[in-house]
């Protein structure tokens, strides 16, 4: 190698680098040429020509392009399926059979299905019929029947239409479990991939069992056991060859060949199945002829008088319970419920009669009711006039303003703050801002007790209680006793402007009936598998109901609610033979009328109104709902021994009334209505009402020694800076509460800082 041309270090570096690169490239290229020459020399000894060369080239190209096609097909047709989790039940519907407490079936919800029959218990004739028509080579292929698919393609091409299916039984299982029924090439490819996946994880017997249990067979039935029960009135264990053929014929087109739709089509299809069984050697000619002479007979199902409203609600409760208890692995279940079928049927008939006979005159078209025990066991639910015409459940889903039926929660809050039923309060005009509610009668009683105010459903008294104790205390009291719905926070809420369902409102009253123990509505007693295994029992899972309100306070409230029945707006609901309490309710413009009442055994709520919120013709809670409640409770209480309620003891008066209660026409009941909207002017009282109020106000100057008034120190106060509390004038917090309240009434009707003249005293209203 010659010497470098320069002694400069930089030039010498680049010169050396260039020589290394040039040498490396030359040597690499020379090595490639030598390697190629050697490889060519090696292959020369295998050189072929002629037809063999053409064949090798074809195989080589087919392998190359086939590999590329396979990867493209996989990317296109790979189903959206992870293969993880409980894949065999993903998207599966529940099949729920409901019974009453004695085990008698009352109806079903979800799908009809029963997968409790073992494969060994299914008659061979049933299995052979299915295999003959759906996949005769099921036990011979690996999930995709190449021979069967090719034969189907040929037959369909000859007929120029689809006369034979090409899907194997495994592919149909894949479609039933994981895919939609759309007819596309992509779905067929998905079937093929999934069938291979299934065959790799399940045995042939397990695949066959899935197919027999999960396939739709018409009439809402899934699986051969449910279909046999529905069409033939017996278990699949007991069916004969003719019935097996008819069931097997349903797999192809369940709606078209369902025997309850067209028995002739079903028998014609069964004959096709029999001849197919003969062709593949599963039956003899004699068996075929005998089956044709004795075709399967469809057994019409008896129409159950199902409590549809009750079951709709119970079905939702069942699904929620299965989720909460993590029992989601069972999809075919039997649920024992709390329903009382005698009461359910009677309540539906009673309300239908009320709507039919009184609805046209009073302009209402719907009614609903709920009956439960004080613990919350729901015994009957009537959601409307006719389930067939409308499945909307007005007892559990319709939220309506409750009107005066909400007042007991206001009085309960007052009792918890220290008031007593015999405390005296003024029933007189009252305003909160621009809102001035009036009484239903446009009259005022003056000084009255809380007991009388609730019995007569005075509107001014709950407002005064709200001003004193604050709305947060009322909302808390309502939620504490079981009210789940949201409650409004504006002043008219004390008169029932919050919208609640009948079920929700009745639940609150159930806590009253239970002596302050929290009631939670429920319908489920037990859940079992079809084979009888118990998977849920309420007694073993539920905790005792907590005491959410002191029993002595509930006793005070119940004594007031008893007065509503005996001397107030709910006299038409008086049973006479048992201690009871309740409250009527009527909302704005007579759009809804309620009555909720209870005994020691049952709590029932009744509502009447219209779906479109149109007003009724002056229907109050005491006019229509209360008498309907009494009819329902007469049935519910039949055979029950009357018992005392907290605050309403059972004494001899009930026995005397029950023994000699005459059939009389009650005098008109002074009822309640209208939680009046804000800015409603004060109701104009008649002169007699004014005189009563004035006389009572003058008597306030005298010390009332008979009034059972709780000391001010006993009352719990809401924080003065709370936005939900109306602060009374300071004079009203002194010891002389009566005189201060009179002064307050006078001051509200004079200009600020001006002394009112005596001659205008009688113009305060």
């Amino acid at each position: 190698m010659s010497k470098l041309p320069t002694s400069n270090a930089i030039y010498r570096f680049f010169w050396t680098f260039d020589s290394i690169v040039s040498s490396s490239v030359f040597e690499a290229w020379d090595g490639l040429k030598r390697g190629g020459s050697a490889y060519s020399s090696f292959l020369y000894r295998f050189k072929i020509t002629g037809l063999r060369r053409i064949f090798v080239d074809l195989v080589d190209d087919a392998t190359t392009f086939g590999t590329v096609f396979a990867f493209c097909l996989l990317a296109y047709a790979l189903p959206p399926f992870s293969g993880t989790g409980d894949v065999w039940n993903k998207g599966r519907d529940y099949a729920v059979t409901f019974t009453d407490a004695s085990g008698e079936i009352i109806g079903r919800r979800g799908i009809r299905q029963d997968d409790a029959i073992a494969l060994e218990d299914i008659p061979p004739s049933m299995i052979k019929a299915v295999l003959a028509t759906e996949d005769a080579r099921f036990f011979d292929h690996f999930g995709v029947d190449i021979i069967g698919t090719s034969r189907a393609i040929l037959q369909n091409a000859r007929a120029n239409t689809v006369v034979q299916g090409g899907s194997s039984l495994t592919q149909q299982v894949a479609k039933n479990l994981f895919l939609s029924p759309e007819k596309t090439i992509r779905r067929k490819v998905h079937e093929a991939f999934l069938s291979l996946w299934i065959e790799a994880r399940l045995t042939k017997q397990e695949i066959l069992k899935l197919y027999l249990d999960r396939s739709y067979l018409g009439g809402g039935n899934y699986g051969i056991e449910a279909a046999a029960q529905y069409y033939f009135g017996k278990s699949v264990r007991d069916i004969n060859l003719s019935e097996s053929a008819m069931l097997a014929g349903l797999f192809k087109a369940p709606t078209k060949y369902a025997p309850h739709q067209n028995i002739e089509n079903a028998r014609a299809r069964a004959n096709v199945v029999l001849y197919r069984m003969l062709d593949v050697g599963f039956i003899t000619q004699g068996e075929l002829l005998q089956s044709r002479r004795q075709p399967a007979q469809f057994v019409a199902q008896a129409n159950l008088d199902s409590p549809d409203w009750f079951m709709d609600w119970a079905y939702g409760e069942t699904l929620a319970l299965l989720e909460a208890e993590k029992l989601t692995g069972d999809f075919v279940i039997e649920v024992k419920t709390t329903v009382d079928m005698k009461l359910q049927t009677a309540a539906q008939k009673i309300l239908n009669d009320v709507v039919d006979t009184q609805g046209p005159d009073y302009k209402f078209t719907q009614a609903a009711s709920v009956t439960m025990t004080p613990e919350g066991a729901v015994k009957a639910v009537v959601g409307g006039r006719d389930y067939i015409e409308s499945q909307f459940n007005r007892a559990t889903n319709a939220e309506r303003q409750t009107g005066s039926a909400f007042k007991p929660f206001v009085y309960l809050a007052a009792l918890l703050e220290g008031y007593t039923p015999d405390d005296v309060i003024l029933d007189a005009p009252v305003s909160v801002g621009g809102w001035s509610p009036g009484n239903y009668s446009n009259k005022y009683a003056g000084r009255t007790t809380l007991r009388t105010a609730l019995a007569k459903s005075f509107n001014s008294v709950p407002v005064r209680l709200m001003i004193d104790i604050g709305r947060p205390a009322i909302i808390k009291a309502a939620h504490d006793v079981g009210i789940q719905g949201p409650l409004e926070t504006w002043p008219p809420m004390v008169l029932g402007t919050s919208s609640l369902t009948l079920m929700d409102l009745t639940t609150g009253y159930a806590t009253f009936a239970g002596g302050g123990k929290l009631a939670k509505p429920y319908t489920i007693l037990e859940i079992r598998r079809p084979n009888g295994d118990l998977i849920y029992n309420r007694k073993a899972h539920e905790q005792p109901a907590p005491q959410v309100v002191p029993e002595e306070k509930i006793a005070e409230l119940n004594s007031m609610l008893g007065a509503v029945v005996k001397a107030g707006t709910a006299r038409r609901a008086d049973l006479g033979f048992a201690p009871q309490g309740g409250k009527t309710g009527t909302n704005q413009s007579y759009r809804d009328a309620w009555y909720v009442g209870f005994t020691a055994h049952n709590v029932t709520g009744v509502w009447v109104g219209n779906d479109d919120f149109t007003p009724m013709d002056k229907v109050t809670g005491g006019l229509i709902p209360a008498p309907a409640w009494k009819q329902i409770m007469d049935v519910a209480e039949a055979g029950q021994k009357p018992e005392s309620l907290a605050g309403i003891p059972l004494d001899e008066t009930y026995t005397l009334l029950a023994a000699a209660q005459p059939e009389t026409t009650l005098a008109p009941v002074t009822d309640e209505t209208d939680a009046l909207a804000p800015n409603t002017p004060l109701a104009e009282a008649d002169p007699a009402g004014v005189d009563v109020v004035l006389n009572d106000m003058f008597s306030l100057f005298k010390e009332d020694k008979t009034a059972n008034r709780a000391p001010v120190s006993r009352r719990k106060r809401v924080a003065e800076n709370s936005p939900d509390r109306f602060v009374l004038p300071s004079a009203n917090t002194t010891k002389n509460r009566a005189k201060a309240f009179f002064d307050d009434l006078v001051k509200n009707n004079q200009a600020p800082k001006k002394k009112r003249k005596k001659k205008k005293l009688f113009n305060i209203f």
Side-chain angles (χ1 to χ4, degrees), residues 77-101:
L78 190 65
F81 176 72
S82 64
T84 60
D86 187 12
V87 296
W88 311 111
N89 292 314
K90 190 169 294 184
R92 184 179 177 184
D93 293 323
Y94 285 92
V96 183
T97 300
F98 289 105
T99 71
D100 60 15

PDB file of all heavy atoms in Angstrom, residues 77-101:
ATOM      1  N   ALA A  77     -62.547 -11.960   9.044  1.00  0.00           N
ATOM      2  CA  ALA A  77     -63.622 -12.782   9.583  1.00  0.00           C
ATOM      3  C   ALA A  77     -63.463 -13.127  11.050  1.00  0.00           C
ATOM      4  O   ALA A  77     -64.320 -13.801  11.606  1.00  0.00           O
ATOM      5  CB  ALA A  77     -63.724 -14.084   8.780  1.00  0.00           C
ATOM      6  N   LEU A  78     -62.409 -12.681  11.707  1.00  0.00           N
ATOM      7  CA  LEU A  78     -62.249 -13.002  13.115  1.00  0.00           C
ATOM      8  C   LEU A  78     -63.401 -12.379  13.903  1.00  0.00           C
ATOM      9  O   LEU A  78     -63.586 -11.164  13.892  1.00  0.00           O
ATOM     10  CB  LEU A  78     -60.916 -12.462  13.628  1.00  0.00           C
ATOM     11  CG  LEU A  78     -60.502 -12.936  15.031  1.00  0.00           C
ATOM     12  CD1 LEU A  78     -60.254 -14.437  15.023  1.00  0.00           C
ATOM     13  CD2 LEU A  78     -59.268 -12.195  15.510  1.00  0.00           C
ATOM     14  N   PRO A  79     -64.211 -13.181  14.574  1.00  0.00           N
ATOM     15  CA  PRO A  79     -65.395 -12.644  15.266  1.00  0.00           C
ATOM     16  C   PRO A  79     -65.007 -11.766  16.442  1.00  0.00           C
ATOM     17  O   PRO A  79     -63.950 -11.954  17.053  1.00  0.00           O
ATOM     18  CB  PRO A  79     -66.131 -13.912  15.731  1.00  0.00           C
ATOM     19  CG  PRO A  79     -65.076 -14.952  15.815  1.00  0.00           C
ATOM     20  CD  PRO A  79     -64.081 -14.635  14.743  1.00  0.00           C
ATOM     21  N   PRO A  80     -65.876 -10.791  16.788  1.00  0.00           N
ATOM     22  CA  PRO A  80     -65.624  -9.920  17.947  1.00  0.00           C
ATOM     23  C   PRO A  80     -65.885 -10.690  19.236  1.00  0.00           C
ATOM     24  O   PRO A  80     -66.895 -10.499  19.908  1.00  0.00           O
ATOM     25  CB  PRO A  80     -66.630  -8.777  17.750  1.00  0.00           C
ATOM     26  CG  PRO A  80     -67.741  -9.402  16.981  1.00  0.00           C
ATOM     27  CD  PRO A  80     -67.116 -10.433  16.084  1.00  0.00           C
ATOM     28  N   PHE A  81     -64.987 -11.545  19.599  1.00  0.00           N
ATOM     29  CA  PHE A  81     -65.222 -12.520  20.647  1.00  0.00           C
ATOM     30  C   PHE A  81     -63.921 -12.759  21.388  1.00  0.00           C
ATOM     31  O   PHE A  81     -62.915 -13.144  20.786  1.00  0.00           O
ATOM     32  CB  PHE A  81     -65.748 -13.810  20.011  1.00  0.00           C
ATOM     33  CG  PHE A  81     -65.939 -14.949  20.979  1.00  0.00           C
ATOM     34  CD1 PHE A  81     -66.974 -14.911  21.882  1.00  0.00           C
ATOM     35  CD2 PHE A  81     -65.092 -16.045  20.965  1.00  0.00           C
ATOM     36  CE1 PHE A  81     -67.163 -15.954  22.771  1.00  0.00           C
ATOM     37  CE2 PHE A  81     -65.276 -17.084  21.841  1.00  0.00           C
ATOM     38  CZ  PHE A  81     -66.318 -17.045  22.741  1.00  0.00           C
ATOM     39  N   SER A  82     -63.925 -12.493  22.683  1.00  0.00           N
ATOM     40  CA  SER A  82     -62.695 -12.614  23.458  1.00  0.00           C
ATOM     41  C   SER A  82     -62.456 -14.022  23.964  1.00  0.00           C
ATOM     42  O   SER A  82     -61.319 -14.425  24.177  1.00  0.00           O
ATOM     43  CB  SER A  82     -62.739 -11.645  24.647  1.00  0.00           C
ATOM     44  OG  SER A  82     -63.782 -12.001  25.536  1.00  0.00           O
ATOM     45  N   GLY A  83     -63.541 -14.779  24.187  1.00  0.00           N
ATOM     46  CA  GLY A  83     -63.383 -16.129  24.706  1.00  0.00           C
ATOM     47  C   GLY A  83     -63.087 -16.187  26.182  1.00  0.00           C
ATOM     48  O   GLY A  83     -62.729 -17.236  26.709  1.00  0.00           O
ATOM     49  N   THR A  84     -63.242 -15.053  26.901  1.00  0.00           N
ATOM     50  CA  THR A  84     -62.972 -15.012  28.330  1.00  0.00           C
ATOM     51  C   THR A  84     -64.267 -14.816  29.103  1.00  0.00           C
ATOM     52  O   THR A  84     -65.260 -14.342  28.562  1.00  0.00           O
ATOM     53  CB  THR A  84     -62.000 -13.876  28.667  1.00  0.00           C
ATOM     54  OG1 THR A  84     -62.572 -12.627  28.257  1.00  0.00           O
ATOM     55  CG2 THR A  84     -60.664 -14.083  27.966  1.00  0.00           C
ATOM     56  N   GLY A  85     -64.241 -15.163  30.384  1.00  0.00           N
ATOM     57  CA  GLY A  85     -65.422 -15.012  31.220  1.00  0.00           C
ATOM     58  C   GLY A  85     -66.425 -16.133  30.983  1.00  0.00           C
ATOM     59  O   GLY A  85     -66.112 -17.191  30.423  1.00  0.00           O
ATOM     60  N   ASP A  86     -67.645 -15.890  31.414  1.00  0.00           N
ATOM     61  CA  ASP A  86     -68.710 -16.885  31.250  1.00  0.00           C
ATOM     62  C   ASP A  86     -69.297 -16.764  29.840  1.00  0.00           C
ATOM     63  O   ASP A  86     -70.403 -16.252  29.638  1.00  0.00           O
ATOM     64  CB  ASP A  86     -69.790 -16.667  32.311  1.00  0.00           C
ATOM     65  CG  ASP A  86     -70.841 -17.767  32.308  1.00  0.00           C
ATOM     66  OD1 ASP A  86     -70.620 -18.794  31.647  1.00  0.00           O
ATOM     67  OD2 ASP A  86     -71.888 -17.587  32.956  1.00  0.00           O
ATOM     68  N   VAL A  87     -68.550 -17.252  28.868  1.00  0.00           N
ATOM     69  CA  VAL A  87     -68.940 -17.056  27.469  1.00  0.00           C
ATOM     70  C   VAL A  87     -70.209 -17.814  27.118  1.00  0.00           C
ATOM     71  O   VAL A  87     -70.951 -17.419  26.204  1.00  0.00           O
ATOM     72  CB  VAL A  87     -67.801 -17.474  26.521  1.00  0.00           C
ATOM     73  CG1 VAL A  87     -66.594 -16.593  26.722  1.00  0.00           C
ATOM     74  CG2 VAL A  87     -67.427 -18.944  26.741  1.00  0.00           C
ATOM     75  N   TRP A  88     -70.493 -18.894  27.810  1.00  0.00           N
ATOM     76  CA  TRP A  88     -71.647 -19.715  27.446  1.00  0.00           C
ATOM     77  C   TRP A  88     -72.963 -19.070  27.863  1.00  0.00           C
ATOM     78  O   TRP A  88     -74.020 -19.476  27.372  1.00  0.00           O
ATOM     79  CB  TRP A  88     -71.519 -21.100  28.074  1.00  0.00           C
ATOM     80  CG  TRP A  88     -70.182 -21.722  27.832  1.00  0.00           C
ATOM     81  CD1 TRP A  88     -69.202 -21.975  28.736  1.00  0.00           C
ATOM     82  CD2 TRP A  88     -69.662 -22.140  26.559  1.00  0.00           C
ATOM     83  NE1 TRP A  88     -68.109 -22.532  28.132  1.00  0.00           N
ATOM     84  CE2 TRP A  88     -68.361 -22.649  26.788  1.00  0.00           C
ATOM     85  CE3 TRP A  88     -70.158 -22.132  25.261  1.00  0.00           C
ATOM     86  CZ2 TRP A  88     -67.561 -23.144  25.774  1.00  0.00           C
ATOM     87  CZ3 TRP A  88     -69.357 -22.618  24.236  1.00  0.00           C
ATOM     88  CH2 TRP A  88     -68.078 -23.120  24.493  1.00  0.00           C
ATOM     89  N   ASN A  89     -72.932 -18.097  28.750  1.00  0.00           N
ATOM     90  CA  ASN A  89     -74.163 -17.433  29.195  1.00  0.00           C
ATOM     91  C   ASN A  89     -74.191 -15.948  28.861  1.00  0.00           C
ATOM     92  O   ASN A  89     -75.082 -15.240  29.318  1.00  0.00           O
ATOM     93  CB  ASN A  89     -74.334 -17.612  30.709  1.00  0.00           C
ATOM     94  CG  ASN A  89     -74.618 -19.042  31.097  1.00  0.00           C
ATOM     95  OD1 ASN A  89     -75.450 -19.704  30.480  1.00  0.00           O
ATOM     96  ND2 ASN A  89     -73.912 -19.550  32.101  1.00  0.00           N
ATOM     97  N   LYS A  90     -73.215 -15.467  28.100  1.00  0.00           N
ATOM     98  CA  LYS A  90     -73.164 -14.043  27.777  1.00  0.00           C
ATOM     99  C   LYS A  90     -74.370 -13.657  26.923  1.00  0.00           C
ATOM    100  O   LYS A  90     -74.629 -14.252  25.873  1.00  0.00           O
ATOM    101  CB  LYS A  90     -71.872 -13.725  27.042  1.00  0.00           C
ATOM    102  CG  LYS A  90     -71.592 -12.244  26.862  1.00  0.00           C
ATOM    103  CD  LYS A  90     -70.173 -12.017  26.368  1.00  0.00           C
ATOM    104  CE  LYS A  90     -69.158 -12.427  27.409  1.00  0.00           C
ATOM    105  NZ  LYS A  90     -67.770 -12.134  27.001  1.00  0.00           N
ATOM    106  N   GLY A  91     -75.125 -12.651  27.393  1.00  0.00           N
ATOM    107  CA  GLY A  91     -76.307 -12.208  26.656  1.00  0.00           C
ATOM    108  C   GLY A  91     -77.511 -13.101  26.823  1.00  0.00           C
ATOM    109  O   GLY A  91     -78.532 -12.904  26.161  1.00  0.00           O
ATOM    110  N   ARG A  92     -77.435 -14.064  27.707  1.00  0.00           N
ATOM    111  CA  ARG A  92     -78.541 -15.013  27.884  1.00  0.00           C
ATOM    112  C   ARG A  92     -79.681 -14.377  28.664  1.00  0.00           C
ATOM    113  O   ARG A  92     -79.466 -13.608  29.604  1.00  0.00           O
ATOM    114  CB  ARG A  92     -78.032 -16.254  28.618  1.00  0.00           C
ATOM    115  CG  ARG A  92     -79.061 -17.362  28.773  1.00  0.00           C
ATOM    116  CD  ARG A  92     -78.448 -18.563  29.482  1.00  0.00           C
ATOM    117  NE  ARG A  92     -79.425 -19.608  29.698  1.00  0.00           N
ATOM    118  CZ  ARG A  92     -79.188 -20.734  30.366  1.00  0.00           C
ATOM    119  NH1 ARG A  92     -77.976 -20.942  30.878  1.00  0.00           N
ATOM    120  NH2 ARG A  92     -80.133 -21.642  30.527  1.00  0.00           N
ATOM    121  N   ASP A  93     -80.909 -14.690  28.297  1.00  0.00           N
ATOM    122  CA  ASP A  93     -82.086 -14.181  28.995  1.00  0.00           C
ATOM    123  C   ASP A  93     -82.468 -15.113  30.137  1.00  0.00           C
ATOM    124  O   ASP A  93     -82.221 -16.324  30.094  1.00  0.00           O
ATOM    125  CB  ASP A  93     -83.268 -14.045  28.028  1.00  0.00           C
ATOM    126  CG  ASP A  93     -83.043 -12.973  26.995  1.00  0.00           C
ATOM    127  OD1 ASP A  93     -82.444 -11.946  27.350  1.00  0.00           O
ATOM    128  OD2 ASP A  93     -83.447 -13.159  25.829  1.00  0.00           O
ATOM    129  N   TYR A  94     -83.114 -14.516  31.138  1.00  0.00           N
ATOM    130  CA  TYR A  94     -83.581 -15.306  32.274  1.00  0.00           C
ATOM    131  C   TYR A  94     -84.925 -15.955  31.952  1.00  0.00           C
ATOM    132  O   TYR A  94     -85.747 -15.401  31.219  1.00  0.00           O
ATOM    133  CB  TYR A  94     -83.726 -14.434  33.515  1.00  0.00           C
ATOM    134  CG  TYR A  94     -82.408 -14.065  34.157  1.00  0.00           C
ATOM    135  CD1 TYR A  94     -81.754 -12.886  33.811  1.00  0.00           C
ATOM    136  CD2 TYR A  94     -81.826 -14.882  35.102  1.00  0.00           C
ATOM    137  CE1 TYR A  94     -80.541 -12.542  34.394  1.00  0.00           C
ATOM    138  CE2 TYR A  94     -80.618 -14.549  35.701  1.00  0.00           C
ATOM    139  CZ  TYR A  94     -79.985 -13.378  35.341  1.00  0.00           C
ATOM    140  OH  TYR A  94     -78.794 -13.044  35.914  1.00  0.00           O
ATOM    141  N   ALA A  95     -85.123 -17.111  32.547  1.00  0.00           N
ATOM    142  CA  ALA A  95     -86.413 -17.799  32.490  1.00  0.00           C
ATOM    143  C   ALA A  95     -86.896 -17.948  33.926  1.00  0.00           C
ATOM    144  O   ALA A  95     -86.358 -18.758  34.691  1.00  0.00           O
ATOM    145  CB  ALA A  95     -86.278 -19.157  31.815  1.00  0.00           C
ATOM    146  N   VAL A  96     -87.901 -17.151  34.304  1.00  0.00           N
ATOM    147  CA  VAL A  96     -88.343 -17.088  35.702  1.00  0.00           C
ATOM    148  C   VAL A  96     -89.774 -17.587  35.801  1.00  0.00           C
ATOM    149  O   VAL A  96     -90.672 -17.081  35.117  1.00  0.00           O
ATOM    150  CB  VAL A  96     -88.246 -15.650  36.250  1.00  0.00           C
ATOM    151  CG1 VAL A  96     -88.637 -15.623  37.719  1.00  0.00           C
ATOM    152  CG2 VAL A  96     -86.841 -15.099  36.065  1.00  0.00           C
ATOM    153  N   THR A  97     -89.979 -18.571  36.651  1.00  0.00           N
ATOM    154  CA  THR A  97     -91.318 -19.070  36.961  1.00  0.00           C
ATOM    155  C   THR A  97     -91.690 -18.596  38.351  1.00  0.00           C
ATOM    156  O   THR A  97     -90.964 -18.847  39.321  1.00  0.00           O
ATOM    157  CB  THR A  97     -91.355 -20.608  36.907  1.00  0.00           C
ATOM    158  OG1 THR A  97     -90.982 -21.047  35.598  1.00  0.00           O
ATOM    159  CG2 THR A  97     -92.754 -21.121  37.228  1.00  0.00           C
ATOM    160  N   PHE A  98     -92.818 -17.912  38.463  1.00  0.00           N
ATOM    161  CA  PHE A  98     -93.265 -17.370  39.752  1.00  0.00           C
ATOM    162  C   PHE A  98     -94.332 -18.272  40.364  1.00  0.00           C
ATOM    163  O   PHE A  98     -95.216 -18.776  39.658  1.00  0.00           O
ATOM    164  CB  PHE A  98     -93.837 -15.963  39.582  1.00  0.00           C
ATOM    165  CG  PHE A  98     -92.796 -14.921  39.266  1.00  0.00           C
ATOM    166  CD1 PHE A  98     -92.667 -14.418  37.984  1.00  0.00           C
ATOM    167  CD2 PHE A  98     -91.941 -14.449  40.246  1.00  0.00           C
ATOM    168  CE1 PHE A  98     -91.718 -13.465  37.676  1.00  0.00           C
ATOM    169  CE2 PHE A  98     -90.987 -13.495  39.960  1.00  0.00           C
ATOM    170  CZ  PHE A  98     -90.869 -13.000  38.674  1.00  0.00           C
ATOM    171  N   THR A  99     -94.236 -18.447  41.673  1.00  0.00           N
ATOM    172  CA  THR A  99     -95.256 -19.191  42.411  1.00  0.00           C
ATOM    173  C   THR A  99     -95.721 -18.346  43.590  1.00  0.00           C
ATOM    174  O   THR A  99     -95.057 -17.378  43.985  1.00  0.00           O
ATOM    175  CB  THR A  99     -94.711 -20.533  42.929  1.00  0.00           C
ATOM    176  OG1 THR A  99     -93.783 -20.287  43.998  1.00  0.00           O
ATOM    177  CG2 THR A  99     -94.008 -21.302  41.824  1.00  0.00           C
ATOM    178  N   ASP A 100     -96.868 -18.734  44.146  1.00  0.00           N
ATOM    179  CA  ASP A 100     -97.289 -18.093  45.386  1.00  0.00           C
ATOM    180  C   ASP A 100     -96.599 -18.782  46.563  1.00  0.00           C
ATOM    181  O   ASP A 100     -95.758 -19.676  46.376  1.00  0.00           O
ATOM    182  CB  ASP A 100     -98.804 -18.107  45.526  1.00  0.00           C
ATOM    183  CG  ASP A 100     -99.385 -19.523  45.527  1.00  0.00           C
ATOM    184  OD1 ASP A 100     -98.612 -20.488  45.707  1.00  0.00           O
ATOM    185  OD2 ASP A 100    -100.610 -19.664  45.347  1.00  0.00           O
ATOM    186  N   ALA A 101     -96.948 -18.404  47.769  1.00  0.00           N
ATOM    187  CA  ALA A 101     -96.261 -18.938  48.942  1.00  0.00           C
ATOM    188  C   ALA A 101     -96.475 -20.436  49.114  1.00  0.00           C
ATOM    189  O   ALA A 101     -95.655 -21.124  49.721  1.00  0.00           O
ATOM    190  CB  ALA A 101     -96.721 -18.202  50.195  1.00  0.00           C
TER     191      ALA A 101
END
